Amino acid sequence: MKIRLPFLMIASLLLVCYACNNPFSTRDPDKPDSVGGDALKSPNSPENIIDNLMISCKNVSSQDYLSLFTEDFVFNPSLDDSTRFEEDFRAGWGYDREQIFAENFLQKKVTDQISFTTHVYKYRSGDDSYEYTYSMDVFSPVDSTKVDAGIEKFRVSGYAWLYLKEDSEGKWRIYKWVEFEGMKENVYDTWATLRRSYY
């Protein structure tokens, strides 16, 4: 009996230690906010930055989105949008305004999901810009207190030139975004419409 008691105590102690986590072990790192989202590509090429534009929108991440632009970033709306939204763009649109837009638009309670149907770009020979054609469906959660609560969808579509430059660390960023009229049959919102709506 005296021999069995210490054996049982030691066995019980080992069982408890085995079942518990080691308090001195290293912990698993926290998962990033964009769990389930696509990982951003390295910013070492203009093409990766343009792809990251789509990825950051799909992940609904304002932080990732803003990392794509230089601090001297400038947005120029199309002639049609600058006329329609003169009050919004008369004073110019720089990084500060882009930051406010991104923080308002790319948050889960405002934008539930973004799905791209078109994301095409082509280098403009002899220039530091890319022709960019985009079309995306934006799904927004509707106020749950309303009778017809659910998901609201709208399409953003257009054509632009994106100007990029490389910094001293070899990282590329967008420093200018110039929108054009694009297709005349386009009845959807443009990125200019989106920007001024969430500013």
Side-chain angles (χ1 to χ4, degrees):
M1 182 72 176
K2 288 182 180 180
I3 296 173
R4 290 179 66 191
L5 184 60
F7 175 76
L8 287 173
M9 288 177 61
I10 291 170
S12 298
L13 185 61
L14 289 173
L15 187 62
V16 168
C17 288
Y18 179 76
C20 295
N21 289 332
N22 181 353
F24 302 105
S25 66
T26 57
R27 67 177 184 84
D28 292 334
D30 293 334
K31 293 183 179 178
D33 290 339
S34 57
V35 173
D38 297 332
L40 290 180
K41 296 180 178 181
S42 174
N44 59 4
S45 74
E47 293 83 4
N48 283 358
I49 292 298
I50 300 173
D51 282 340
N52 285 345
L53 180 63
M54 177 181 66
I55 293 167
S56 63
C57 288
K58 285 173 65 177
N59 291 347
V60 192
S61 172
S62 60
Q63 184 176 357
D64 289 346
Y65 176 85
L66 289 168
S67 72
L68 308 175
F69 301 93
T70 63
E71 290 187 8
D72 60 346
F73 169 72
V74 174
F75 172 72
N76 294 328
S78 68
L79 183 59
D80 182 49
D81 284 341
S82 63
T83 303
R84 285 194 303 151
F85 310 124
E86 185 180 355
E87 292 295 319
D88 298 292
F89 295 110
R90 182 188 301 145
W93 190 283
Y95 183 84
D96 290 343
R97 297 189 83 179
E98 192 71 9
Q99 182 176 16
I100 294 168
F101 152 71
E103 289 170 354
N104 289 339
F105 174 61
L106 293 171
Q107 53 175 307
K108 277 293 186 182
K109 66 180 181 181
V110 173
T111 306
D112 187 63
Q113 180 189 348
I114 297 173
S115 175
F116 277 77
T117 55
T118 306
H119 174 75
V120 179
Y121 52 88
K122 182 176 73 173
Y123 179 69
R124 294 182 64 237
S125 182
D127 202 349
D128 58 349
S129 67
Y130 284 72
E131 295 179 9
Y132 179 50
T133 305
Y134 61 88
S135 184
M136 60 186 185
D137 292 326
V138 179
F139 299 84
S140 303
V142 178
D143 185 353
S144 60
T145 60
K146 295 181 180 177
V147 176
D148 59 345
I151 298 293
E152 195 173 72
K153 180 181 98 167
F154 61 93
R155 177 160 287 185
V156 179
S157 183
Y159 171 75
W161 287 357
L162 302 180
Y163 293 79
L164 298 99
K165 63 183 175 183
E166 187 178 15
D167 66 16
S168 59
E169 297 176 350
K171 295 179 180 178
W172 288 84
R173 300 282 184 269
I174 301 168
Y175 71 89
K176 186 164 64 170
W177 181 314
V178 180
E179 287 267 339
F180 293 94
E181 301 299 331
M183 302 160 288
K184 287 295 180 185
E185 67 274 11
N186 184 2
V187 294
Y188 303 112
D189 293 329
T190 62
W191 214 292
T193 311
L194 194 64
R195 282 178 162 108
R196 52 94 50 188
S197 297
Y198 288 91
Y199 176 72

